[in-house]
Amino acid sequence: MLLRSCLAVPAVLLMLGTAQAATEECPAKSTQMDDIIAELEQAPSCNRAMKIFEACEYGASGDVQFGEVVEKKCEADFLSGLGASQKKAYASELRRCDHKYDNQSGTMYRSFTAFCRAIVAQRLSQKALKASPKAR
C-alpha cells in the first residue's frame, strides 16, 4: 500500500505540471483552419507564432499547414542571412524532420513532423535574433 502511495504522488505532480504548461487557449476566433492560419500570420514574432501553433494544434495532418506558416514567420528572421553551407545544413535538418516518422502511419505523425520543422526554424530564428545588433 505504501509503495502505491509513493508512486501515485509523482504521477499526480507530473500531471499537474503538464496541465499548467498548456494553459494558453487558442486565440483564433474559431477552430476553423482559416481562422487559425490568419492568427498565425498576424503573430508579431516567430516565438509568438509557435505559441499560437501549440495552443491551436489539431494533433493531425491539418497541423502541416499551421507549421508551414510558423516556418515562414521564423525564416524571415534568419534565412536571408544564411550562407550557402548554412542553408544546406538547414535544409538537411528539415529533411531529417520529414523522414523521422517515415515508418509510422497515422495523421498524428504528420503533426509531429510539422512541429519538428517549426522547432528547427524557431531555433534558428532565436539564434539569429540573439546575434543581431538590433536585438541588443
Side-chain angles (χ1 to χ4, degrees), residues 31-95:
T31 58
Q32 295 297 311
M33 184 171 286
D34 290 342
D35 290 335
I36 295 170
I37 289 173
E39 192 70 30
L40 288 165
E41 289 173 341
Q42 292 173 14
S45 68
C46 168
N47 286 338
R48 181 64 190 142
M50 184 58 106
K51 291 269 190 211
I52 294 167
F53 184 21
E54 291 168 346
C56 299
E57 72 174 289
Y58 288 166
S61 58
D63 290 345
V64 171
Q65 291 176 289
F66 302 154
E68 288 172 353
V69 175
V70 175
E71 277 183 63
K72 298 260 183 285
K73 176 81 60 178
C74 296
E75 286 175 348
D77 295 334
F78 69 86
L79 198 56
S80 65
L82 295 181
S85 64
Q86 293 168 315
K87 284 182 181 178
K88 189 175 178 181
Y90 174 55
S92 177
E93 283 192 69
L94 293 179
R95 275 193 306 277

Side-chain angles (χ1 to χ4, degrees), residues 103-116:
N103 297 324
Q104 304 297 324
S105 62
T107 61
M108 72 179 178
Y109 293 103
R110 305 304 69 85
S111 174
F112 295 169
T113 298
F115 269 98
C116 179

